[in-house]
Amino acid sequence: MQPADTEQRTAARRSPAQPAHPAVFRPVAPDELPSAVREFLDGPAALPVPVLVDGRPDLAASIELATRLYDRTVRPAPLDHGVLLGPGELPDGLAGLVRPLARTWLSPDDLHRFGHEVRGTLLVVGTYRHLCLDPVRELLQRTYRRAGELGLSFLSGRDPHSLLWNVAKQYADVDDALTRLGIFTDTDRPAPAHDVRVYDDRDFARLDIQAEILGSRWRKVVFQGHGKDDSINLGDFTICGLNPVAPRETALLGPRCAYGLPCYKPEDKLVPLNRVAAAEVVLSACNSGPLADLALYDPRYQVLLNALDGPARTVASAVSVHDSDRPENAAWMRAAATAEDSVDTLNASLAGSHPYPAFMRFGLPGPAAGRPAPPPSDHRPDALLLTVGTRLAALLTGELLPHNQPLRPRLAKLARKVDLWVARPTQLADRSADEIRASLTADLQSLDHVIARQVTENPETELMNYPAHFGDRSYLDRDVDDVVCHCGRPAQRFTRRGLLPHVLDTVCVVCLRCGDVTFRVPGAPELLAYADDAVPAGGVLEVRAVLTAARPGPVRLGLFVPGYLRADTVVEPAVTKVKGSDKEARDVTFRVRFAPDTAPQAYYFTVFAVQDLAVSTARRHFGVVPRQG
């Protein structure tokens, strides 16, 4: 890690050059704090907030940075409830500065009531050593996935001086001219959006990231990468948690530099986190904010505590491990542009990945606190996406389609897209659910059209053999329904269940007179076909197909006759597209024109429907009789 003098020289070289605002904070002596707090709370809003910096040159430097971020003091909206942990160790006057931040104050012994008989928002205030499994873990679990109903925020610091500094920052208002938003990520390459500057591994290789971070003023900034208690990796650059002013607790573990060894990353590329001029910092790395009794490293080296020592009014840190990736980056960029809360947004996005909360909020909720919280993600992609994925797997991994079947390249291309769409790093990230569904349905309509044309041109195509192919690899479901065949006679509907993952179930209707009447896979369109029992040679057979779609949307329908009858017939239309409904059946009319010399005998026709890569068929027998006269 960087030695103290090196860190200070680096910070001076990289500090933002914007002019400072009028003083928002006022250092006072410890014995002056109680009266200074009373004066601040009772006086006009323009008074600076009192803070303690004696023996803490790092806090004095943070105040200097803070004057470039905050331009006035405000009275923040109080939360519903507050609790002060370890009040006996706090300097006189600090409790008075905390009190306006909540309407009612609970005893630590009453925390078990929060989320039950006590509801609303809760502010937990205490030095870091009090943020332990008991009681914080239960509070986190109780409020997780309930941001719209329960809200949880913390104010903390490595010692009473740091805690007072973080309380004081809640009275500071961010300069309206401060609009810069940024993400530095070593695990993703998101597209820039919503005026957020994005820096990824490609930038880390060509830019001085240390200068980019320390040389700018940030309204909000995210640091995302692999890390632990003391650091977050950004390529060769590292967000560093070392605060050289903090004392070392030798009983606890430390990183390499704690034992006199060089840092595991280039020391000239370390970024001291407490020197980052940002009003809000998001530490999107595993274990960036562990609870005090779960911390791996001494507090002197922890990135959370170094962020709290810095000028940031709000810090979001990860309690433990988590799966932040593209969805969280995209969600955060959208939220940052609309002033939505970072912690609520990130936790909602991750709610479908693990059952525990990922991020904690240090600082009061932002101005969007009154808005509805983002709904928790459950990472359940569109059902159509999953249905199509299952059908693609069956068509591509089984032996139904030969390797040279013309459909294979297009099916494989769609399968790759579906795999990306259902994978969590992209689902609902670069594209919304509506955009993904629109792209999927466009691909499906194109493929359904190709399938319908192939069937019309060659009804013996391999795809049409799916009932036999899948049926040979299935077992009979014993549940059988009695139904009515389109000939009017009793029939039975049953399902063959696939024995292997790539074998689709098939639903069959069999009539003792007509034989196999209909075939389809579950979730495919339902078809019946009605026509006269006989047609004279040279005449026209009118066929009424009755369609119930699997879902609202376009369905391709066609009709074909056996190969030995095609030379004597013309089918009108060969293929048609209709708007199907899953609520009510729709009639579709076909006409089959017969040549005058068609041989009289029994024949059959097959009506088929294609929707979402599934082909449903209905077969009907009829006879050609001699022409009269």
Side-chain angles (χ1 to χ4, degrees), residues 193-215:
H194 309 288
D195 297 324
V196 177
R197 298 169 186 260
V198 175
Y199 302 82
D200 58 37
D201 61 303
R202 295 165 295 187
D203 301 299
F204 302 159
R206 63 183 181 84
L207 296 177
D208 184 348
I209 295 300
Q210 184 188 67
E212 290 289 327
I213 296 172
L214 298 179

Side-chain angles (χ1 to χ4, degrees), residues 330-348:
W332 184 86
M333 284 192 279
R334 290 191 295 269
T338 57
E340 293 177 11
D341 186 84
S342 295
V343 169
D344 289 348
T345 297
L346 294 171
N347 278 340

Side-chain angles (χ1 to χ4, degrees), residues 312-388:
R313 187 180 64 179
T314 306
V315 176
S317 64
V319 186
S320 183
V321 295
H322 58 96
D323 296 325
S324 284
D325 210 298
R326 179 72 54 82
E328 286 65 54
N329 288 338
W332 184 86
M333 284 192 279
R334 290 191 295 269
T338 57
E340 293 177 11
D341 186 84
S342 295
V343 169
D344 289 348
T345 297
L346 294 171
N347 278 340
S349 182
L350 286 164
S353 299
H354 36 59
Y356 53 85
F359 287 90
M360 295 170 61
R361 179 193 306 106
F362 288 85
L364 297 182
R371 300 179 188 174
S377 166
D378 57 6
H379 184 46
R380 295 184 184 180
D382 191 322
L384 176 61
L385 199 62
L386 303 182
T387 297
V388 170

Side-chain angles (χ1 to χ4, degrees), residues 228-499:
K228 46 188 177 181
D229 298 27
D230 71 316
S231 60
I232 300 175
N233 293 321
L234 302 175
D236 285 340
F237 297 89
T238 304
I239 302 298
C240 178
L242 171 64
N243 185 336
V245 174
R248 171 83 199 279
E249 297 182 26
T250 55
L252 297 176
L253 285 173
R256 293 166 53 96
C257 63
Y259 306 102
L261 297 173
C263 183
Y264 73 105
K265 298 294 278 294
E267 295 196 5
D268 62 341
K269 294 185 177 181
L270 298 180
V271 179
L273 187 53
N274 62 346
R275 304 304 300 153
V276 176
E280 177 176 310
V281 171
V282 178
L283 305 175
S284 185
C286 293
N287 302 304
S288 61
L291 298 178
D293 48 352
L294 300 181
L296 184 64
Y297 283 152
D298 186 304
R300 174 186 174 119
Y301 305 95
Q302 288 182 27
V303 287
L304 167 62
L305 297 182
N306 214 19
L308 296 178
D309 285 337
R313 187 180 64 179
T314 306
V315 176
S317 64
V319 186
S320 183
V321 295
H322 58 96
D323 296 325
S324 284
D325 210 298
R326 179 72 54 82
E328 286 65 54
N329 288 338
W332 184 86
M333 284 192 279
R334 290 191 295 269
T338 57
E340 293 177 11
D341 186 84
S342 295
V343 169
D344 289 348
T345 297
L346 294 171
N347 278 340
S349 182
L350 286 164
S353 299
H354 36 59
Y356 53 85
F359 287 90
M360 295 170 61
R361 179 193 306 106
F362 288 85
L364 297 182
R371 300 179 188 174
S377 166
D378 57 6
H379 184 46
R380 295 184 184 180
D382 191 322
L384 176 61
L385 199 62
L386 303 182
T387 297
V388 170
T390 300
R391 290 174 184 170
L392 286 166
L395 294 173
L396 290 169
T397 62
E399 298 297 324
L400 176 63
L401 301 182
H403 72 279
N404 59 348
Q405 218 280 348
L407 277 173
R408 271 192 172 273
R410 293 197 59 182
L411 294 173
K413 181 179 179 181
L414 181 56
R416 288 191 294 271
K417 293 170 78 171
V418 168
D419 182 68
L420 289 174
W421 284 334
V422 301
R424 207 192 69 82
T426 56
Q427 170 72 2
L428 303 183
D430 293 322
R431 290 181 166 187
S432 69
D434 290 340
E435 290 172 327
I436 289 174
R437 188 178 179 93
S439 181
L440 175 65
T441 52
D443 286 333
L444 289 174
Q445 289 184 40
S446 178
L447 273 166
D448 287 351
H449 174 74
V450 173
I451 291 171
R453 287 295 180 188
Q454 282 192 8
V455 173
T456 301
E457 294 167 4
N458 177 23
E460 284 76 36
T461 179
E462 298 86 1
L463 185 62
M464 295 299 287
N465 191 43
Y466 78 84
H469 180 85
F470 293 146
D472 289 343
R473 294 157 178 80
S474 303
Y475 69 92
L476 178 63
D477 190 316
R478 297 302 179 184
D479 291 333
V480 178
D481 297 323
D482 291 326
V483 296
V484 177
C485 176
H486 46 210
C487 75
R489 298 179 178 87
Q492 290 182 306
R493 181 174 59 214
F494 56 91
T495 301
R496 296 189 180 111
R497 303 291 183 187
L499 291 167

Side-chain angles (χ1 to χ4, degrees), residues 156-221:
S156 189
R158 68 176 69 248
D159 56 24
H161 280 39
S162 293
L163 174 58
L164 174 63
W165 169 228
N166 280 278
V167 173
K169 286 183 285 187
Q170 307 312 305
Y171 289 91
D173 203 14
V174 180
D175 179 4
D176 292 334
L178 183 59
T179 59
R180 192 180 183 96
L181 307 170
I183 289 183
F184 293 81
T185 172
D186 196 28
T187 65
D188 187 21
R189 290 181 175 181
H194 309 288
D195 297 324
V196 177
R197 298 169 186 260
V198 175
Y199 302 82
D200 58 37
D201 61 303
R202 295 165 295 187
D203 301 299
F204 302 159
R206 63 183 181 84
L207 296 177
D208 184 348
I209 295 300
Q210 184 188 67
E212 290 289 327
I213 296 172
L214 298 179
S216 302
R217 297 189 310 155
W218 305 93
R219 191 175 190 92
K220 296 184 179 184
V221 64

